[in-house]
Amino acid sequence: MMVKKMGAWMLLALLTLVGDWYGRCYGCLEEERIGLLEIKALTNPNSIYMRDWVEYSSNCCEWYGIECDKTQRRVIRLSLQVARDQSLGDWVLNASLFLPFKELQSLDLSGNGLVGCSENQGFEVLSSKLEVLDLSQNRFNNDKSILSCLTGLSSLKSLDLSDNGLKGSGFKDLSSRLKKLENLDLSWNQYNDTIFSSITGFSSLKSLDLSYNQLTGSTGINSFQLQPMRLGKLENLNLSDNQLNSSILSILSGLSSLKSLDLSNNMVTGSGIVDSFYLTASHDILLIILFLSQEK
């Protein structure tokens, strides 16, 4: 009798191990599969991008827009680009929707009509492992609406807020929360020169895109000029398609790590501009690429 009981326990243990192995090797975890189906139901049950997100298919690691860790089979990348039914109107996000994804590293929510986050339900409820967040082509409109979402993201390295109609200077508060941020895309917004004083706090920033804004270099940029060393790691800077003139070069010359600078489609003119920048810059190895516009 004792042998039979031991045999039964061993069989149960074996089945448990096999079930766990099967769940991890065949597809993502059950709680994450259910979480993905809930996202589909709340955003767009009829989405062509989610047509393989179906209940009878347990291998959700092979679903469109999903990437799982090869070892643990947990979702590490989730792309919901243009996934939401736009007829639903503006979307105030409750980020607890993504709580099942404990190992999530990359989240794409671009083009979904986002205007803000529910109170105390911003991205602070998510895993601290999130490194990449794409919120481009939404409807945040101003810094305050986006600040209600971006808290608790201590591991974030890349943030895309392009094409949101953003304006203001609220990023000064945000820099203290995103201390590891390396890539920031603010292109195709409505920022004026006040944005310069807001971004100096991002001490880990390596790439900054401010193209297609309303920058002139005439006001609000002095604080940026006085504190270039706070952006001492900045390597790539895109200021194209603004209204900047040649004086911007002397202001940027203190960025000692700069390797790529795009000033195309501005009002930067003159044959001696590049030489002037070389002479005033404090780079040990200068690998600056200037895309200068023709005189307008």
Side-chain angles (χ1 to χ4, degrees):
M1 181 67 70
M2 183 64 69
V3 174
K4 289 183 178 181
K5 286 185 177 180
M6 289 181 62
W9 279 109
M10 289 179 66
L11 179 59
L12 179 60
L14 180 61
L15 289 173
T16 301
L17 288 172
V18 169
D20 183 63
W21 174 87
Y22 180 82
R24 289 178 178 272
C25 293
Y26 182 65
C28 60
L29 300 185
E30 180 69 6
E31 63 174 320
E32 295 187 333
R33 188 178 70 87
I34 294 173
L36 291 172
L37 292 174
E38 288 180 352
I39 289 173
K40 178 181 179 180
L42 288 172
T43 56
N44 189 349
N46 301 313
S47 171
I48 59 172
Y49 300 107
M50 299 179 182
R51 57 189 172 193
D52 57 349
W53 291 33
V54 288
E55 193 167 354
Y56 54 79
S57 172
S58 60
N59 192 2
C60 46
C61 287
E62 295 184 354
W63 290 356
Y64 178 85
I66 307 298
E67 181 181 339
C68 292
D69 175 80
K70 291 186 169 103
T71 302
Q72 297 183 346
R73 307 303 297 169
R74 300 207 68 136
V75 174
I76 58 173
R77 186 182 71 85
L78 175 55
S79 178
L80 294 172
Q81 183 181 24
V82 200
R84 188 168 179 268
D85 184 354
Q86 294 296 303
S87 67
L88 296 174
D90 293 342
W91 187 13
V92 178
L93 180 68
N94 185 332
S96 61
L97 189 62
F98 306 106
L99 280 176
F101 314 107
K102 308 296 184 186
E103 301 294 323
L104 192 62
Q105 298 173 19
S106 176
L107 177 61
D108 186 347
L109 291 173
S110 58
N112 283 297
L114 279 168
V115 296
C117 290
S118 301
E119 187 175 0
N120 299 321
Q121 293 296 327
F123 292 106
E124 72 274 7
V125 303
L126 295 187
S127 164
S128 60
K129 297 182 179 181
L130 192 67
E131 296 183 354
V132 179
L133 181 59
D134 189 341
L135 298 174
S136 61
Q137 299 180 341
N138 281 294
R139 303 175 190 151
F140 286 107
N141 297 326
N142 60 69
D143 287 353
K144 290 183 179 179
S145 60
I146 189 62
L147 288 174
S148 67
C149 294
L150 299 177
T151 59
L153 294 174
S154 58
S155 297
L156 200 67
K157 293 183 179 180
S158 181
L159 176 61
D160 191 342
L161 292 172
S162 60
D163 199 6
N164 267 287
L166 288 169
K167 52 190 174 183
S169 55
F171 277 91
K172 186 176 295 184
D173 298 324
L174 191 60
S175 61
S176 61
R177 308 177 192 178
L178 305 179
K179 294 182 179 180
K180 294 184 179 180
L181 195 67
E182 296 180 358
N183 304 297
L184 179 59
D185 191 341
L186 298 176
S187 61
W188 292 93
N189 282 298
Q190 299 177 29
Y191 284 116
N192 58 29
D193 292 345
T194 59
I195 189 62
F196 286 109
S197 62
S198 296
I199 58 180
T200 55
F202 291 100
S203 58
S204 297
L205 208 60
K206 293 182 179 179
S207 179
L208 174 62
D209 192 340
L210 281 167
S211 59
Y212 292 94
N213 275 282
Q214 300 173 10
L215 309 178
T216 65
S218 58
T219 59
I221 199 171
N222 291 333
S223 59
F224 184 78
Q225 183 179 16
L226 293 172
Q227 304 180 66
M229 294 308 295
R230 296 186 66 180
L231 290 174
K233 296 182 180 180
L234 192 65
E235 297 180 356
N236 304 299
L237 179 59
N238 189 346
L239 296 174
S240 64
D241 295 274
N242 282 285
Q243 302 172 43
L244 298 165
N245 58 37
S246 302
S247 63
I248 189 66
L249 290 173
S250 62
I251 294 171
L252 299 178
S253 62
L255 298 173
S256 58
S257 297
L258 203 61
K259 295 179 180 179
S260 175
L261 173 62
D262 190 342
L263 286 169
S264 59
N265 296 318
N266 277 282
M267 293 182 285
V268 179
T269 59
S271 59
I273 293 300
V274 177
D275 291 337
S276 174
F277 187 68
Y278 271 70
L279 289 172
T280 56
S282 58
H283 306 72
D284 292 330
I285 301 176
L286 190 60
L287 297 173
I288 305 299
I289 302 173
L290 295 178
F291 302 94
L292 299 176
S293 62
Q294 298 297 318
E295 186 168 0
K296 297 182 179 180

